[in-house]
Amino acid sequence: MSASSAFNDEKGGSSSVGEPEYGHDPASGGIFSSDYKRHDDLKEMLDSNKDSLKLEAMKRIVAMIARGKNASDLFPAVVKNVACKNIEVKKLVYVYLVRYAEEQQDLALLSISTFQRGLKDPNQLIRASALRVLSSIRVTIIVPIMMLAIKEAASDMSPYVRKTAAHAIPKLYSLDPEQKDQLIEVIEKLLADKTTLVAGSVVMAFEEVCPERIDLIHKNYRKLCNLLIDVEEWGQVVIINMLTRYARTQFLNPNINESLLEESGEKAFYGSDDEEGKEEKADAAALAKRKPYVMDPDHRLLLRNTKPLLQSRNAAVVMAVAQLYFHLAPKAEVGVIAKALVRLMRSHSEVQYVVLQNVATMTIKRRGMFEPYLKSFYIRSTDPTQIKVLKLEVLTNLANETNISTILREFQTYIKSMDKDFVAATIQAIGRCATNIGEVRDTCLNGLVQLLSNRDELVVAESVVVIKKLLQMQPEQHSDIIKHMAKLTDNIQVPMARASILWLIGEYCEHVPKIAPDVLRKMAKTFTNEEDIVKLQIINLAAKLYLTNSKQTKLLTQYVLNLAKYDQNYDIRDRARFIRQLIVPTDKSGALSKYAKKLFLALKPAPVLESPFKDRDHFQLGSLSHLLNTKAGGYQELPDWPESAPDPSVRNVEVPEWTKCTSREKRKDKKVEKPFYSDSEGESGPTESADSESDSGSASESGSESGSGSEESGSESGSEESEEDSESEEEERDEEEEKKKRKKRPERSGSESESEEEEESESESSESESESEEESESETDSKKTKKSKKEKKEISLLDLDDFETTPIEVTPVNNFLSNSLVTDLEGLSLTDTVMNPTTIAPSGAVKTYELLHRITGEGLAVEYCFSRQPFGPDPHMVAVQIQFTNNTSSETKNLHMEEPKLLSGMRIKEFPEIEVLPPGESATVVMGIDFCDSTQAANFQLCTHTKKFFVSIQPPVGELMMPVFLTENEFKKEQGKLMGMNEITEKLTLGEKCQSDHAIVQRVTSAANVSRVPCGSDKECRFAGKTVTSGSLVLVTVVTKEERAAQLTVNCEKMVIGTMLVKDILQALTQ
Amino acid sequence: MIHSLFLINSAGDIFLEKHWKSVISRSVCDYFFEAQEKAGEPDNVPPVIRTPHHYLINIYREKIFFVSVIQTEVPPLFVIEFLHRVAEMFQDYFGESSEAAIKDNVVIVYELLEEMLDNGFPLATESNILKELIKPPTILRSVVNTITGSSNVGETLPTGQLSTIPWRRAGVKYTNNEAYFDVVEEIDAILDKSGTTVFAEIQGVIDACVKLSGMPDLTLSFMNPRLLDDVSFHPCVRFKRWESERVLSFVPPDGNFQLMSYHVSAQNLVAIPVYVKQNISFFETGSSGRLDITVGPKQTMGKTVECVLVTIHMPKVILSANLTPTQGTYTYDPVTKILMWDIGKLNHQKLPNLKGSLSLQSGAAKPEENPSLNIEFKIQQLAISGLKVNRLDMYGEKYKPFKGVKYVTKAGKFQVRT
């Protein structure tokens, strides 16, 4: 059998064609029995009147075709039977025709009339199959007939025939591309078809014939989205892929804001300098153009209608939806695809292979998405190697400070595997983890050094190569490892490893001054037997040693160079000649030799170990091109998002009243009917902004990056509060101490990044970040007391214990000064009515808020607080004190603000530009904002000499006022004026820690910038303030009763402010 | 899309070829053979191979490579999924998708392939539709055909093609109307040396065999649908009903099909029904080693663990094994280095144990790693996740069907590291 098939590989060798065989008995026979008589036999059967004989003959012929044997000489006999009544014979004749018509065009024409008759048959199956065959025989002469048939079939009654027409379009197109324009007309017509049966096929035709005619889709876009779920699986894949491309041209990027932040965050890992510069410019441009993002309802429609398809049993459909979400969905919603993709990992290994490739690309861009499924990527010893390597890639991409210990433990078991290719890949992976995550670098290095004593040479060699890369990052600390590796030269034979060791010794010869010459001596001895790559490194080593230690190694170097001079390999000879000229001073030696040392011993940048999947996402995921990482023929580029959205009304369908507005309403109605959608999407209307991430439930589900980010900041602010409290307790301390503290503070903020890292590594040991946060929140009380004690004892502020639990603590530098200033002023105006200046004064409890996190700000951290000082230049403005901290290693220049985006009436007084902020330093400035007595945020850009950051300041209601000083009588009088609607009363239960008068005063004054009004009753506390802009009075009364019960009354002309203030104070008091 | 298909057996013979567009010479398969040789194991053949003018996308099933030839961009999963569907269709038609079965039914295979793809784009992949177009071969039918001369090719368009439920044909009639559901759960787990679970999850499927007349509309509900973390459905299941009410509502295909597959979230701790005590060690000298494995039941909810089979891929240096099992039989294949211990039922009173010595190649260094154990088992009448079908209701038809649900738990990829 094998012999015969091999022999018949070539087509056209009709003389050697094997005999026809019975379908049931294909194993019999071979080339030796081939003769013409058997073929005559078949011809006879085909010519007979009996259908059963014809059928038998056709079966044999088809069996021949199936095995790749040539049956073309039977064409005339077969084609006669095209009009046979027996449907099975007919079908087999069709099979034969489609296979050979191209080769025998003239004879094939004989059959055309039959098909033309078939096209008019009342039976839709016969009409359809006639069209199928007619369009499948690739004979150019019949192009006009085909065109006519397709056009006719496109308006057939039966959707099945129309589907067949759609299938015929690409066939005709490939036969004669000239017909494109006419075919597009047919496609346009079929695109408007409302049946699900046609939709998939016509989109496929569209993709093959005119993928660039995106305008044809507009009118059908909504219909396609709505039909999608009922289309057959294969059609779904094609439609989804096409719609992904369509959406990229028609809608705005839902992640405009996040993507900027994200990219800048990522750059810390990968970006090289000049690349960064370019991107920065782009960023700046994008930032300048930024508008509040509103998702197009049609964009939302697509996302919503594809989501259920993630549950499809067809892996291709799931993948198509996944790539659609990856390319189109707002970041917070992408998480939903992770679960579905992980499910596909249970499927056949080929499916796994493709899915893992795509997951690997996704994990680089959106790591958070797959982190919960880390364990699903654990490797089994029974996995095929190619799957193992891909899983390893995913695991490496997923590694971060939190999970690295688990991952390394997993890697440890992998190293023991019997599959050596896989072990080598694991060692590479460890190397990459070590470079990406600084904390574990030493652990990894130690682990790798232990592997050097492994018995398997491949393992050792791979470890050497990886260690070399790691050592390059910090060679000073590891001279003992270099020594250890020097010893290995005696045993390791793998050339790459030997070369790596030699390079290391040469590069860091000053760390191992005694060993290096000895290694060279040994190498010189074996020079002639080494591989080329090793020889080159020996020459390299010799040259470097000659330059640093010429006394000991001069002769050795000469010897090595002489050996190299007569080497067989010209590269080595060249290298030897070049080096001799460069390092050995002769009379002729040129100017270069002066710089030999600089040439050879220049500091070399550490290599960047990065994923081979980086940057693959510019290919549409799930595509063949993505898998191969090269453009495949016919690949349609995924276009970039447009800068401004094209007119959305093009998608409106003819029905005149169906304008955008009504369509929205309609859709809303629909949603009421189908609780399923509103369930999954929450209250998200058709227009929603992706800026607010909370609008989708998925954020909380998947714990996406953005989610965790906000959590982090939450915890920070929480602990800050505790800081403040403790500070306010120490308020009585004299200023001297504070001055000391102030001096120390800059140091402290300098080491801020360190402390944070430590904190992170700490949380690594705990099971999950969120848990640890909860703990820390619940423990705030105990911490508070602990800390205040600590500070009272005057323990050095740089104490490490302190860092373990304290996150960044930045208090405005001149806060204390200003406070005292305010109290002084108050003291002046109030004289004897003041009960105790320290309690009346707005306490030191000034909350700092984060304006720019140091990660998103690329090392620039910005915090702000409301200093509660009157703002000098304009009394109607709220003073905002901003502190910049430069955590980078380079200077930040020209810090200033630009382009405030404000609501009407709001004004901003900019702070003076900071010209230079040296690394590690902080600077504080004050700006004024007139919020117009509203809590709307003030948006503006913070600019440095290279970057722009979008920031916003939103004031708590308590900061919109300033204290006024009233006597008890005045207070009562004013309160009398503000009754009824202007008075809000609320009952409350005081918090445990908040029962004393003192505590109440403190809480209220920290929640709002008001001052205390003296009061005769000891059960009442009164406060007064006025809003900054309009000067409306704000009066607050807290009446305490038995058992921690209390009553809060706020009187204010501005009811909105009053209500919000009540809420804030209530919260402050009940805590 | 899909240009051509070649079926290649393990000996490297191309025993079937089908072209949907112009003919592509089978010499294109040489690139595949090259890749196959490089990969060694059939598992390691890359599913996508690039050649100068074509792309080859292949799957490996039942010792046959299905190699498809692609010329332009197409989602690889699209092709892979389709090829698997082809293999499944063969299985459906001939009982197995082996080389012998395909060769025996080459004409039907050819007709099937012709119907499944048109110009390389899938046309009909639903088994119900195909079975109306091309009747599966049965002995009875072939006898009848030879006598009456009738063909096994349908003359009218399958009813499913045009309806909104393409998976079901109209006019189904049974004398006994029955609907059976099998809940099959597989435990995927990795246990480490000390027996602690590194990773465990439950994957389940519900296989259905529905033989009901007419157009029944079924509703299947669970006692505890919350258990299900991730689900995927046969297209017949109405996803909206599932989302809102957590019931499976569907018009079933006729015959056997997989209704749904699901995943039970890791939060619900997976009960591992067996434990393994193992001790495999190699001596520094004397080129020998010792092996001692005990398997016992654990958390089986009172059910017996059956069909227990332990498979160990031994390191290459192991020449032979001399072991004594207290229960079942063991085999060691010195060529593939696979040790198989077929235990059978697990007994609470007497735990099965396999003990003895391993002999190594003389002079070879002792292997550094211990082989990991793959374990298979089966527990009848139990869904380990605790999933329970509540009830099955039928609407749309008047008769009363027989209904039944069966539960089975199996080991999936169950591995013990040593």
Side-chain angles (χ1 to χ4, degrees), chain B residues 300-319:
Chain B
T300 56
M301 332 261 172
K303 305 278 197 289
T304 25
V305 184
E306 301 169 11
C307 305
V308 183
L309 178 70
V310 180
T311 316
I312 310 173
H313 288 258
M314 286 293 182
K316 288 200 184 66
V317 291
I318 309 282
L319 271 188

Side-chain angles (χ1 to χ4, degrees), chain B residues 90-346:
Chain B
F90 290 164
Q91 207 148 19
D92 199 17
Y93 263 77
F94 317 126
E96 52 173 359
S97 115
S98 66
E99 185 184 351
I102 292 170
K103 278 182 170 172
D104 285 349
N105 297 289
V106 70
V107 174
I108 292 180
V109 165
Y110 226 68
E111 284 170 335
L112 273 176
L113 291 175
E114 186 72 29
E115 286 301 329
M116 289 179 85
L117 277 185
D118 179 14
N119 194 34
F121 190 79
L123 190 62
T125 50
E126 279 298 335
S127 121
N128 269 291
I129 290 178
L130 286 170
K131 280 186 178 160
E132 273 183 77
L133 282 171
I134 303 150
K135 308 228 166 41
T138 57
I139 295 168
L140 181 69
R141 185 166 296 126
S142 60
V143 171
V144 170
N145 281 356
T146 41
I147 295 168
T148 62
S150 67
S151 75
N152 59 350
V153 173
E155 294 194 25
T156 48
L157 187 69
T159 43
Q161 264 299 11
L162 290 177
S163 76
T164 45
I165 40 172
W167 53 86
R168 189 172 181 88
R169 60 198 166 98
V172 186
K173 271 226 165 63
Y174 288 102
T175 41
N176 293 322
N177 288 297
E178 45 195 22
Y180 297 113
F181 295 90
D182 289 356
V183 179
V184 183
E185 295 198 335
E186 293 194 352
I187 305 175
D188 284 358
I190 303 176
L191 306 183
D192 75 0
K193 209 182 286 185
S194 57
T196 45
T197 315
V198 177
F199 167 75
E201 62 177 14
I202 298 170
Q203 302 279 353
V205 295
I206 299 183
D207 285 325
C209 175
V210 178
K211 293 182 174 167
L212 298 174
S213 315
M215 272 290 166
D217 194 335
L218 302 180
T219 307
L220 184 82
S221 62
F222 298 104
M223 303 275 257
N224 38 10
R226 281 174 186 285
L227 274 177
L228 307 180
D229 179 40
D230 180 45
V231 286
S232 84
F233 298 120
H234 189 276
C236 70
V237 176
R238 296 182 181 101
F239 190 66
K240 287 160 196 171
R241 281 285 298 278
W242 169 257
E243 280 285 287
S244 56
E245 299 165 49
R246 299 275 145 180
V247 295
L248 298 176
S249 158
F250 54 98
V251 176
D254 186 37
N256 295 310
F257 66 103
Q258 191 181 87
L259 181 63
M260 74 180 289
S261 67
Y262 60 88
H263 173 259
V264 176
S265 61
Q267 279 85 23
N268 301 313
L269 273 181
V270 179
I272 305 285
V274 295
Y275 71 88
V276 179
K277 269 195 229 157
Q278 40 76 27
N279 182 19
I280 303 175
S281 55
F282 302 103
F283 303 121
E284 282 294 347
T285 52
S287 57
S288 66
R290 274 172 43 79
L291 179 140
D292 187 347
I293 302 173
T294 311
V295 182
K298 180 175 113 181
Q299 291 173 298
T300 56
M301 332 261 172
K303 305 278 197 289
T304 25
V305 184
E306 301 169 11
C307 305
V308 183
L309 178 70
V310 180
T311 316
I312 310 173
H313 288 258
M314 286 293 182
K316 288 200 184 66
V317 291
I318 309 282
L319 271 188
S320 63
N322 184 13
L323 309 168
T324 22
T326 58
Q327 186 184 338
T329 52
Y330 85 95
T331 52
Y332 180 66
D333 184 340
V335 182
T336 55
K337 309 285 176 193
I338 292 176
L339 175 73
M340 288 231 271
W341 178 27
D342 189 348
I343 300 173
K345 260 185 205 164
L346 277 192

Side-chain angles (χ1 to χ4, degrees), chain A residues 202-422:
Chain A
V202 67
V203 171
M204 191 268 305
F206 170 84
E207 289 283 82
E208 291 209 6
V209 178
C210 52
E212 72 285 350
R213 288 290 301 275
I214 218 88
D215 56 295
L216 295 180
I217 303 299
H218 291 321
K219 290 260 179 280
N220 302 298
Y221 173 83
R222 289 176 191 157
K223 183 196 70 195
L224 284 175
C225 285
N226 288 324
L227 284 184
L228 194 56
I229 195 150
D230 294 321
V231 175
E232 35 88 36
E233 303 156 286
W234 313 106
Q236 284 172 347
V237 177
V238 179
I239 295 176
I240 292 171
N241 280 320
M242 186 275 290
L243 288 179
T244 309
R245 238 177 45 241
Y246 177 85
R248 270 296 184 98
T249 61
Q250 300 298 318
F251 306 129
L252 289 178
N253 185 357
N255 298 317
I256 294 177
N257 315 328
E258 286 95 339
S259 67
L260 290 179
L261 297 179
E262 185 187 300
E263 271 166 31
S264 47
E266 220 174 71
K267 253 176 251 156
F269 271 105
Y270 298 117
S272 67
D273 289 358
D274 50 354
E275 226 178 61
E276 216 168 298
K278 253 183 249 162
E279 271 170 47
E280 266 162 33
K281 267 178 215 159
D283 287 0
L287 270 175
K289 277 185 194 132
R290 198 183 91 140
K291 282 178 224 139
Y293 172 77
V294 176
M295 186 181 273
D296 190 296
D298 288 323
H299 190 173
R300 171 53 64 200
L301 176 74
L302 176 61
L303 291 177
R304 194 175 22 179
N305 281 2
T306 47
K307 197 174 170 187
L309 295 179
L310 281 174
Q311 254 64 44
S312 172
R313 63 167 171 175
N314 187 320
V317 176
V318 176
M319 189 66 231
V321 179
Q323 65 83 23
L324 180 128
Y325 261 75
F326 183 80
H327 290 298
L328 300 181
K331 206 170 134 196
E333 290 168 45
V334 181
V336 294
I337 65 175
K339 200 188 263 181
L341 289 177
V342 169
R343 185 206 318 134
L344 295 187
M345 307 259 305
R346 279 276 296 177
S347 193
H348 304 284
S349 81
E350 297 89 5
V351 176
Q352 273 189 51
Y353 176 82
V354 178
V355 170
L356 279 170
Q357 295 251 358
N358 286 292
V359 169
T361 307
M362 290 186 194
T363 45
I364 288 175
K365 254 287 163 67
R366 304 214 197 290
R367 178 168 57 192
M369 197 161 87
F370 287 98
E371 259 172 64
Y373 304 101
L374 185 73
K375 288 191 172 176
S376 305
F377 299 100
Y378 279 6
I379 293 159
R380 294 183 163 78
S381 60
T382 40
D383 286 334
T385 311
Q386 53 183 354
I387 301 285
K388 284 182 188 164
V389 172
L390 282 171
K391 280 187 174 175
L392 204 57
E393 175 67 36
V394 173
L395 285 177
T396 318
N397 288 344
L398 287 179
N400 61 13
E401 286 87 351
T402 347
N403 56 27
I404 184 68
S405 53
T406 353
I407 290 183
L408 282 182
R409 211 174 309 132
E410 245 333 268
F411 283 178
Q412 220 139 36
T413 47
Y414 300 163
I415 284 174
K416 291 188 206 141
S417 166
M418 284 179 248
D419 185 344
K420 290 305 165 207
D421 291 336
F422 169 53

Side-chain angles (χ1 to χ4, degrees), chain A residues 9 66-67 88 91 132 171 234 311 343 346 350 381 385 410 416 455 623-625 627 633, chain B residues 17 26 44 48 60 73 84 114-115 118 125 152 155 186 188 230-231 233 366 369 372 415 417:
Chain A
D9 263 357
R67 277 186 290 120
E88 191 168 12
K91 272 206 156 169
R132 255 184 85 184
K171 296 185 208 168
W234 313 106
Q311 254 64 44
R343 185 206 318 134
R346 279 276 296 177
E350 297 89 5
S381 60
T385 311
E410 245 333 268
K416 291 188 206 141
R455 226 173 297 138
S623 67
L624 184 63
S625 304
L627 190 86
Chain B
E17 64 177 70
R26 54 167 69 186
N44 268 329
V48 181
Y60 181 68
E73 168 68 46
H84 279 295
E114 186 72 29
E115 286 301 329
D118 179 14
T125 50
N152 59 350
E155 294 194 25
E186 293 194 352
D188 284 358
D230 180 45
V231 286
F233 298 120
K366 82 171 184 127
E369 68 286 325
S372 54
Q415 193 160 86
R417 292 176 177 168

Side-chain angles (χ1 to χ4, degrees), chain A residues 28-45:
Chain A
S28 70
I31 54 158
F32 303 109
S33 52
S34 75
D35 54 11
Y36 291 102
K37 273 181 194 162
R38 298 294 284 273
H39 272 236
D40 289 343
D41 187 33
L42 279 171
K43 279 178 190 158
E44 248 168 57
M45 286 166 87

Side-chain angles (χ1 to χ4, degrees), chain A residues 4 10-11 41 88 273 447 478 516 648 660 825 927 1039 1048 1050:
Chain A
S4 79
E10 304 302 326
K11 309 189 285 193
D41 187 33
E88 191 168 12
D273 289 358
H478 299 294
K660 201 170 171 189
L825 288 171
M927 66 186 286
V1039 183
L1048 168 72
V1050 171

